[in-house]
Amino acid sequence: MKTPFVALILFLVSSLAQGLNPKCATQDHGSNLQVLHVYSPCSPFKPSKQLSWEEDVLQTLAKDQARVQYLSSLVAKKSVVPIASGRQIVQSPTYIVRVNIGTPSQTMLMAMDTSSDAAWVPCTGCIGCSSTAFDYAKSTTFKTLGCQAAQCQQVPNPTCGGSACAFNMTYAGSTIAGNLSQDNITLATDPIPNYTFGCLQKTTGNSVPPQGLLGLGRGPLSLLSQSQNLYQSTFSYCLPSFRSLNFSGSLRLGPTGQPLRIKYTPLLKNPRKPSLYYVNLVAIRVGRKIVDIPPNALAFNPSTGAGTIIDSGTVFTRLVQPAYVAVRDEFRRRVRVTNVTSLGGFDTCYSVPIVAPTITLMFSGMNVSLPQENLLIHSTAGGITCLAMASAPALNVIANMQQQNHRVLFDVPNSRVGFAREQCS
């Protein structure tokens, strides 16, 4: 049996092997997983060269725009995802957690995505995969699922040329192909035997999260469905600021330990895309004024996919044009600085210090007030400040910057989502 000291040394060694700073080696425990921003100083996926603030913002906006178009395409009739030409777009979700896969276990840093269902990881020999791969040959509990498996009908475009259930799918601007597989996984200290996931054999494009993806949606292959007995389709997270120095956020799985004092809004169901977490955004207040937004800009419409979703992978909140313009214009009016500039997709930037009004998102049964830390991005030199929101083509997306330092609780059995302020940076 390993002593705690030996276990810590082994963890530090594995962390160093993955490029993690040993100062960042925070242990997961119970049903709580530490959450890390993908570009934080503790992430092995942070950019190799330091970007200027402006480059960082423009790259993030480009990635975000691609993701918003991808999310819009999920609910639209067309399956084609428009991608801005001439840019390298990595639309990887922004927050990662540790997942141990196989026997003996191999640690992967997988992206959390509330708008996807399946889990998948790059496997040894994967063509086009860009990072550490899962060596399935070293796991004594790994198996490939055949075409007769019930799960084979739950993946997109299954093919059965050989004995394995193979699949092809698009993820944003990328295509991925792999085999449907099973192995034991451990989340924090919770073992989940025979977890079904995609073992990637080939990828194209730049959108695939480097070490894989953990789907937190509501579909049949999602974590919620596969761990129903363990976690009762309940989870919450607190997302740290992207400048947070370590694994300071948390993903809390199951009903135990969730906050009791929290306000909820009902989850809505879209039969055309049942995995997405739709909510009813009824109004937006800037300062003390509820802005004038046409009702159909916020209304949930399951036949078109219009409405509002909570998403962990988009960085900056997007509102459809009429809603965004109304919020932006009232924000500008209250800031009272005439010289408004733009930066990339942000059209409300200032080169002088400003005092921003609070923006309150008003949902059915719940208001979420966003202070300046959730609304403004500042250049590191302090010279430019921008309202961190933009317009969207078809879908309102409440994104992760606006969720930072909140506990966001998804209670699927009771069809509700809750928000409560919590400092986790």
Side-chain angles (χ1 to χ4, degrees), residues 226-239:
Q226 293 199 58
S227 62
Q228 174 66 41
N229 293 338
L230 188 59
Y231 300 131
Q232 284 110 65
S233 295
T234 303
F235 70 96
S236 71
Y237 54 64
C238 187
L239 302 179

Side-chain angles (χ1 to χ4, degrees), residues 66-198:
R67 182 173 176 85
V68 170
Q69 289 172 328
Y70 165 61
L71 291 170
S72 297
S73 79
L74 293 179
V75 296
K77 289 189 168 67
K78 294 181 181 176
S79 59
V80 177
V81 185
I83 295 294
S85 62
R87 287 180 192 240
Q88 181 186 26
I89 292 174
V90 181
Q91 152 208 346
S92 162
T94 328
Y95 289 93
I96 52 180
V97 293
R98 296 187 194 93
V99 179
N100 292 305
I101 308 178
T103 309
S105 67
Q106 300 171 42
T107 302
M108 306 293 281
L109 295 172
M110 297 174 68
M112 291 167 39
D113 191 347
T114 55
S115 297
S116 295
D117 291 330
W120 32 263
V121 295
C123 285
T124 304
C126 177
I127 298 168
C129 292
S130 58
S131 187
T132 306
F134 171 58
D135 191 346
Y136 58 89
K138 291 184 177 176
S139 173
T140 59
T141 46
F142 175 85
K143 63 182 176 183
T144 300
L145 294 182
C147 297
Q148 74 286 353
Q151 295 95 325
C152 193
Q153 301 309 309
Q154 296 166 352
V155 296
N157 308 313
T159 55
C160 290
S163 58
C165 175
F167 65 89
N168 289 277
M169 62 182 284
T170 58
Y171 183 77
S174 293
T175 60
I176 63 176
N179 294 324
L180 200 60
S181 306
Q182 275 187 349
D183 208 334
N184 300 339
I185 71 168
T186 302
L187 301 173
T189 52
D190 294 335
I192 305 175
N194 303 318
Y195 197 89
T196 301
F197 63 95

Side-chain angles (χ1 to χ4, degrees), residues 381-398:
I384 303 174
T385 299
C386 297
L387 172 64
M389 291 184 178
S391 62
L395 187 66
N396 301 305
V397 181
I398 308 304

Side-chain angles (χ1 to χ4, degrees), residues 282-349:
V282 294
I284 301 175
R285 192 169 64 219
V286 179
R288 295 180 180 177
K289 181 179 179 181
I290 296 176
V291 296
D292 188 13
I293 298 173
N296 64 353
L298 302 180
F300 174 58
N301 186 334
S303 65
T304 65
T308 303
I309 65 167
I310 307 286
D311 180 51
S312 66
T314 306
V315 180
F316 303 116
T317 286
R318 305 297 179 110
L319 301 171
V320 296
Q321 187 75 7
Y324 173 70
V325 169
V327 170
R328 178 202 67 190
D329 289 354
E330 183 61 22
F331 180 91
R332 288 178 177 179
R333 193 179 73 79
R334 289 181 174 263
V335 169
R336 295 178 183 171
V337 173
T338 54
N339 188 16
V340 179
T341 60
S342 62
L343 177 66
F346 292 136
D347 64 4
T348 302
C349 299

Side-chain angles (χ1 to χ4, degrees), residues 235-237 258-267 279-280 285 310 360-369 406-411 414-422:
F235 70 96
S236 71
Y237 54 64
Q258 301 294 0
L260 299 176
R261 294 174 61 85
I262 190 167
K263 292 181 178 178
Y264 290 98
T265 188
L267 283 170
V279 289
N280 188 17
R285 192 169 64 219
I310 307 286
T360 302
L361 304 174
M362 306 175 75
F363 302 94
S364 297
M366 172 184 82
N367 290 347
V368 178
S369 291
H406 287 83
R407 174 67 54 183
V408 185
L409 172 56
F410 296 81
D411 179 359
N414 293 303
S415 198
R416 59 186 186 171
V417 61
F419 272 71
R421 288 290 295 175
E422 180 179 320

